[in-house]
Amino acid sequence: MDAADIVASLLILGIIVVSLLSNVVVLICFLYNPDIRKQVPGLFILNLTFCNLLLSVSNMPLTLFGLITTGHPGGIALCQIVGFLDTFLTTNSMLSMAALSIDRWVAVVFPLSYHSRIRHRDAVIALGYTWFHSFCFSTVATYRSWVGYHHLYASCTLCNVKAKGTGTQFIIFTVALHSLTFLLTLIVLCVTYLKVLKVARFHCKRIDVITMQTLVLLVDIHPSVRQKCLDEQKRRRQRATKKISTFIGTFVVCFMPYVITRIVELFSTGPISPHWGVLSKCLAYSKAASDPFVYSLLRHQYRKTCSLLANKILKRSPLNSSSLRMEISTGQSNNPNNPNTTNNIQLPTNKPLGQ
């Protein structure tokens, strides 16, 4: 092992630890908080958490083992199973992110009819499609022996070495896979979240107008209070932009280098640096560690649940299980099943969107 392999091994080890801990916390919050379970987006988050956990205990450890031993991790059968999971879980998680963005778009653009447009049955149908879509691509790749150990990524994944004699078919399959997963999800994320941002800015302008009219009427207001109101306006305008940029930015940063490398690999005649291949794979793995924070743990509902659970574990307050659940429900009673707070997008409105 050289220095680059050591750094990559430590990076993957850190990703495994963070991914396992954060996704387990999300799962605990989902199981413990009945309000989270009642919300439709909770099903998408649960599916995304499941994919991230399975990826963390199957694919990442074998990649780490491959880096340490600089060789094939396990037998051929094991590598094929892990390669199947690599395609299945990555595709499934991407489509789950697309489903979450569509849910947020409907919740923000059609707040009054959200519950009639997006129901649990619709979420189950959407998840059924994501599983079917992922299973089809994974099964085809495994059946055609297009999965195996790829030295460029030190992983059991799609491998064109197995595609000798069927190079054109493998190229078509790989391009179709990434077009119908990464590219499709990226388009959905951009379209839906940009529409959400447009609505957020519209409501920001409405609130700004009301605030400025109030400041004009309050001629005797202290300058510090006036400045505080203006600063709050600025923060309100930036809040939605930052959050939506996080949703799209983390997806692009984590997945795009790996997808581009896979496409370049198909048509390039020269060798690709294995250090870059491993780095791109590490970036793709890091999405499993960042998803819990991007979609769940930074939300008030999850933070409150974690805080209450921590207090109970540390015995800071004499809460039993029933009283803890009651406090969680009470925290949501003012706005039950609010669709606009589900994906950590806190829109700056004057209550027409449910905030």
Side-chain angles (χ1 to χ4, degrees), residues 39-65:
Q39 296 170 351
V40 173
L43 296 178
F44 299 130
I45 293 177
L46 179 63
N47 186 64
L48 184 61
T49 302
F50 167 78
C51 293
N52 291 337
L53 281 174
L54 197 53
L55 191 70
S56 301
V57 300
S58 60
N59 297 72
M60 295 184 194
L62 281 187
T63 301
L64 178 61
F65 182 80

Side-chain angles (χ1 to χ4, degrees), residues 93-307:
S93 63
M94 287 186 186
L95 295 179
S96 296
M97 297 172 206
L100 277 168
S101 68
I102 294 174
D103 175 84
R104 291 303 83 223
W105 171 69
V106 175
V108 172
V109 179
F110 309 101
L112 299 180
S113 60
Y114 169 79
H115 292 291
S116 62
R117 292 173 180 266
I118 303 293
R119 295 164 292 182
H120 280 82
R121 183 183 65 181
D122 302 319
V124 171
I125 293 175
L127 289 178
Y129 172 76
T130 63
W131 279 65
F132 176 77
H133 183 114
S134 306
F135 182 79
C136 287
F137 276 103
S138 304
T139 302
V140 170
T142 305
Y143 177 76
R144 298 301 301 269
S145 298
W146 289 342
V147 293
Y149 183 72
H150 203 312
H151 291 276
L152 178 61
Y153 308 102
S155 306
C156 295
T157 182
L158 287 177
C159 185
N160 57 1
V161 174
K162 298 285 184 180
K164 289 182 177 179
T166 57
T168 303
Q169 296 178 7
F170 180 78
I171 291 174
I172 295 174
F173 173 83
T174 305
V175 172
L177 171 64
H178 294 302
S179 298
L180 295 177
T181 53
F182 171 79
L183 184 59
L184 175 63
T185 302
L186 179 60
I187 292 174
V188 172
L189 290 177
C190 291
V191 172
T192 54
Y193 281 132
L194 289 179
K195 287 184 177 295
V196 170
L197 181 60
K198 182 179 179 181
V199 174
R201 287 180 173 176
F202 171 75
H203 286 282
C204 278
K205 290 181 179 179
R206 291 177 56 187
I207 295 176
D208 290 346
V209 170
I210 295 174
T211 303
M212 293 305 299
Q213 291 175 347
T214 304
L215 292 177
V216 170
L217 294 175
L218 299 175
V219 293
D220 295 333
I221 192 172
H222 194 275
S224 62
V225 178
R226 184 187 300 270
Q227 185 61 40
K228 185 177 181 180
C229 293
L230 296 176
D231 293 340
E232 178 60 27
Q233 284 185 352
K234 184 177 180 181
R235 287 194 296 268
R236 194 163 44 230
R237 288 192 296 268
Q238 295 175 347
R239 191 177 300 129
T241 303
K242 288 181 179 179
K243 291 179 179 178
I244 290 175
S245 299
T246 301
F247 294 140
I248 300 176
T250 53
F251 181 83
V252 171
V253 170
C254 292
F255 285 124
M256 182 171 282
Y258 178 70
V259 173
I260 292 178
T261 304
R262 300 292 321 214
I263 299 301
V264 170
E265 180 190 3
L266 295 175
F267 304 100
S268 176
T269 56
I272 300 177
S273 171
H275 297 319
W276 169 252
V278 172
L279 177 60
S280 65
K281 192 65 175 177
C282 289
L283 287 174
Y285 284 155
S286 67
K287 194 67 172 71
S290 64
D291 282 342
F293 300 98
V294 173
Y295 291 100
S296 304
L297 296 180
L298 296 182
R299 284 180 48 210
H300 173 74
Q301 199 172 28
Y302 282 85
R303 293 202 310 267
K304 184 176 179 63
T305 304
C306 292
S307 177

